[in-house]
Amino acid sequence: MAEKVLVVGSGGREHALAWKLAQSPQIQQVLVAPGNAGTANCGKICNSEVSVSNHSILAQFCKDHHVGLVVVGPEVPLAAGMVDDLTAAGVPCFGPSAKAAQLEASKSYSKAFMERHGIPTARYGSFTDSEEACKYIRTASFPALVVKASGLAAGKGVIVAKDQEEACQAVLDIMKDGAFGSAGETVVVEELLEGEEVSCLCFTDSISVSAMPPAQDHKRLQDGDLGPNTGGMGAYCPTPQVSPELLQEIREGVLQKTVDGMREEGVPYVGVLYAGLMLTKDGPKVLEFNCRFGDPECQVLMPLLKSDLYEVILNTINGKLSASPPMWHQDSSAVTVVMASAGYPGSYKKGVEITGLSQVQDTGLQVFHAGTALKEGGVVSSGGRVLTVTAVRSSFEAALEAANKGVAAVGFPGAVYRRDIGHRAIAYLNQHRGLTYKDSGVDIAAGNKLVDLIKPLAKATARSGCNAELGGFAGLFDLKAAGFVDPILVSGTDGVGTKLKIAQACNHHDGLGQDLVAMCVNDVLAQGAEPLFFLDYFSCGSLDVDVAAQVVGGIAKACEMAGCALLGGETAEMPGVYPVGEYDLAGFCVGAVERGALLPRLGDIAEGDLLIGIASSGVHSNGFSLVRKVLERTHLTYSSPAPFGKPGQTVGQVLLTPTKIYSRLLLPILKSGVVKAYAHITGGGLLENIPRVLPPELAVDLDASHWSIPPVFSWLHKEGGLSEEEMSRTFNCGLGAVLVVAPLDAQRVLRQLQAYEEAWIVGSLAKKLLGAENVVVRNLKQSLLNSERGTTGDLKLEKNGHSSDNSTPRIKRRVGVLISGTGTNLQALIEQARRPSSSAEIVVVISNRSGVQGLKRAALAGIQTRVVDHKLYGSRAEFDGTIDRVLEEFGVELVCLAGFMRILTGNFVKKWNGKLLNIHPSLLPSFKGVNAQKQALHAGVRVSGCTVHFVAEEVDAGAIIVQEAVPVLGNDTEESLCDRIREAEHRAFPAAMELVASGTVRLREDGHIAWNAQS
């Protein structure tokens, strides 16, 4: 029968014990009293509110709740006799008796015991009078500079003084000022020993001992072993300083001798014995004994224990330890780093919110909670030492690196932690072994691991002409297989500038891949070329495989978006060139264009041609050195709430918005021949990029009131005091690309663009006068001010295709969205409707389920929500009638079904005929109904996708508005195909909503689509 186990305590040690016990198949439940946020309802583990100070109540609780074992974590209940009382009441309990726990509870007793049994320790004196103690300090023939409170002081009752005056002051603080309360009524003054300090623990059944791997704690608060003593700021295990021979010496001369001595004195010791040792030139000497697991040593020992901890404890209690000694992982190292509250070990603030813990654990690290509590569903600090991050890896160096990265990823404002845990081990290892290439800072194994991780990502970017197989010396591309007849190759290379610094500071790396691909692909487009393949260059001082995989994973995903293959790359690890945690990126794109389609067509570009601007996503990847300078001036941090962007976004999140990739949007339009030139608005902004594609005799006349300027640019302009010229020469100011078209073609091109992206006619070309500027940007300052206030101008087209300034607001159709769940398509619709150029306004979101994520998305966007629970209605007609009344209440004109999991009645569909849109994850009419992706894979088709259609009474049979194709890859699963189709849905559904809301598309009475050419 599976057991219930109770762990007593609330720290990181107790969380580690509960975590390890819960892994036993023999255990049904692990209760922790009082526990912390980490032990609250975590699998088998949960907290208990039983009183642990009243041993009679605790014993009765254990009997009533069938608790088969109690494991005591801290020293105080052990010294108070918890094991004695529970055992007497018939409740099995792990730990030493109160008498045996005096080895820790009284340092005076402990020193005398070691003296009696010849256990090596520092010379000492024990005192109840402060004057006598000070006299001993001044007259001892050795440096008597270690002052200890004899009683229990939570691991903090030791002062290592730098001189006699400081040692005497410590005595006075403890004995006269009561720094440690009653624990300091007796003080022990010891000889200051020199050497390495290590922790050697063992299980003991009072007869035999089974040593654990040696560990090293770090007591001082600050790096370099500076600052005040603490309960421990980190640990690692095993310690290379303790050889197997030395560990055997410690086992026999300290641990076994101690257990034998206690038994001889009639005080059998059962449980965990912890010896804190100094490795002096004269051999190991005991600094102190503890009668339990150390904290934080326990957090590195438990992950290395191969055996079932529950079985080890039972064997220890039942005297069977020598017959079944515990087994340990021999080829692994563990490192744990403690995160403490600001002010610790003094006074500190409680209730500080802690975030990012689940993400840290997702990376294979273990977070052990200590001073944490749950508040409103989140984790907050409630103690001095708050949590530890533990990493187990095949080498000490790898574990140390992983633990430090984990700590850096935890969101804990003001946290105090050491960055040099294990520094003594590093020094020791560097002294005692020969050099390898890895010692120079180049980790070939890490590089190979990275290649293995990115191979399948690159494979997913395969396209006609290239299979995107990594591993060769060079990559191949077959132009003929890609359909080219008389091609010209076009190449481009770029980086992402100091946007890197922001990504590294925010520890958010995957978006940089899209930035890199976009900067290169968008350049190649300027020649009219289709991007064919891409290569990346990733350079760093020390390769972090996880970070590099995020970056390259982002590059691969962006290559899919751009339609080019990730053909290869270079990862360069260059120790000493880059600081730890920093890296650089470069990208290379090669495209091709048929000879007759090369851009720009300089001979065709003429005075009066119009300029169509396509929206950027923000700053893109240029001008970030200036952005960072402005941030310095405002004293904002990357984690500060953004004074620009969407509600809830931080400064870092807005600035790291990826650069838009325009290839899939623009290639069909470029190939149609209507575009005379295309300019990528990159470094040099509006002033320098557009002239690069124009004849020298023409000038550019832009009107900034004709496009929407993202708020980030208004903020930069205001806070940086930047001139209009500085803004337009440094930043894209909201335009990521500019097309040159003839006036007669402008309306058609604009309509094609606006189906998928924000676009405007932003200006025209004029004859350049002698001495005039190449580019004039009118109304920029006023538009920046308007953007700051949240207003923008709209440009309307007259029938002749020329632009006209019209201040009449765009008429928006009122849209209602029906959902049942997360609302990922809802988010895409919301973002489309927010665009100033949109013809849609979402006025209400209705869900048939309460509390779903989609309702939260709507609320965050300031959209009204309603819940109409289908379970409360007796019939579908009654339910649909209520939905209908809500839609009418909000004056809804167009309804979008975004993951709405109810079948609507025929009457409802008829009433909303031509005003009801749905999306299906296949290219209808293929694969109707449920499991469309599974049907597509089973049928073996090579192309699937999504379809937005008007809703008809027959399921998935309405007239089709928009479709987007998604290739089916050879290695696709239902999940991977679904993910890519979902991305297409996020583009197709907003485009369809826009087409219907604008009147461009409507449903005729015969059920077919009608296109309005004038819209």
Side-chain angles (χ1 to χ4, degrees), residues 235 266 986:
H986 296 170

Side-chain angles (χ1 to χ4, degrees), residues 524-584:
V524 166
L525 282 173
Q527 308 298 146
E530 175 186 347
L532 302 178
F533 59 86
F534 190 88
L535 300 100
D536 69 273
Y537 178 80
F538 181 98
S539 56
C540 58
S542 176
L543 180 61
D544 182 321
V545 174
D546 293 335
V547 169
Q550 286 183 54
V551 174
V552 181
I555 291 171
K557 187 176 181 181
C559 284
E560 286 190 78
M561 294 169 61
C564 61
L566 179 56
L567 194 55
E570 166 71 2
T571 302
E573 193 171 16
M574 298 184 286
V577 177
Y578 299 95
V580 174
E582 292 192 7
Y583 57 85
D584 200 2

Side-chain angles (χ1 to χ4, degrees), residues 611-616 706-709 734-735 750 754 758-763 793-795 836-837:
L611 303 176
I612 296 179
I614 306 171
S616 70
H706 289 171
W707 74 83
S708 176
I709 298 181
L735 299 181
L750 187 64
Q754 287 180 338
E758 279 190 286
W760 315 266
I761 294 185
V762 296
D794 253 352
L795 184 77
S837 61

Side-chain angles (χ1 to χ4, degrees), residues 347-617:
S347 60
Y348 48 82
K349 179 182 177 183
K350 296 182 181 181
V352 177
E353 184 181 8
I354 303 165
T355 59
L357 300 178
S358 59
Q359 291 91 329
V360 171
Q361 299 203 142
D362 288 344
T363 64
L365 304 178
Q366 184 61 45
V367 177
F368 293 118
H369 291 239
T372 62
L374 293 175
K375 183 178 180 182
E376 299 176 355
V379 177
V380 299
S381 65
S382 64
R385 291 192 295 170
V386 176
L387 56 88
T388 66
V389 177
T390 301
V392 178
R393 296 291 187 268
S394 58
S395 70
F396 165 71
E397 293 90 344
L400 177 60
E401 184 179 7
N404 284 331
K405 284 180 186 169
V407 167
V410 173
F412 180 9
V416 176
Y417 56 91
R418 286 184 60 162
R419 295 162 179 81
D420 69 340
I421 299 302
H423 67 97
R424 294 182 183 276
I426 294 171
Y428 180 87
L429 291 170
N430 288 340
Q431 277 184 338
H432 292 80
R433 71 179 184 194
L435 290 175
T436 65
Y437 200 9
K438 188 174 180 180
D439 292 323
S440 72
V442 179
D443 190 340
I444 294 174
N448 291 337
K449 181 181 178 182
L450 175 62
V451 172
D452 290 339
L453 287 173
I454 63 179
K455 273 185 177 180
L457 303 177
K459 181 69 175 174
T461 69
R463 52 153 293 161
S464 57
C466 175
N467 62 11
E469 290 277 5
L470 299 185
F473 286 102
L476 305 176
F477 194 96
D478 186 340
L479 286 167
K480 190 173 182 179
F484 287 93
V485 179
D486 183 21
I488 292 177
L489 291 179
V490 179
S491 65
T493 183
D494 213 333
V496 296
T498 56
K499 191 172 187 177
L500 282 165
K501 303 286 284 185
I502 299 176
Q504 290 159 6
C506 296
N507 195 31
H508 186 82
H509 310 277
D510 51 351
L512 291 177
Q514 182 171 330
D515 288 312
L516 187 66
V517 174
M519 294 302 288
C520 299
V521 164
N522 291 344
D523 277 353
V524 166
L525 282 173
Q527 308 298 146
E530 175 186 347
L532 302 178
F533 59 86
F534 190 88
L535 300 100
D536 69 273
Y537 178 80
F538 181 98
S539 56
C540 58
S542 176
L543 180 61
D544 182 321
V545 174
D546 293 335
V547 169
Q550 286 183 54
V551 174
V552 181
I555 291 171
K557 187 176 181 181
C559 284
E560 286 190 78
M561 294 169 61
C564 61
L566 179 56
L567 194 55
E570 166 71 2
T571 302
E573 193 171 16
M574 298 184 286
V577 177
Y578 299 95
V580 174
E582 292 192 7
Y583 57 85
D584 200 2
L585 285 175
F588 311 88
C589 180
V590 173
V593 57
E594 295 293 354
R595 192 175 302 272
L598 194 63
L599 290 181
R601 301 204 310 271
L602 295 176
D604 293 343
I605 299 173
E607 181 181 359
D609 281 347
L610 297 181
L611 303 176
I612 296 179
I614 306 171
S616 70
S617 60

Side-chain angles (χ1 to χ4, degrees), residues 147 158 165 190 218 467 506 596 787 799 922 1006:
V147 181
V158 179
E165 183 179 345
E190 285 186 355
H218 295 66
N467 62 11
C506 296
S787 176
K799 289 186 179 179
S922 77
D1006 62 2

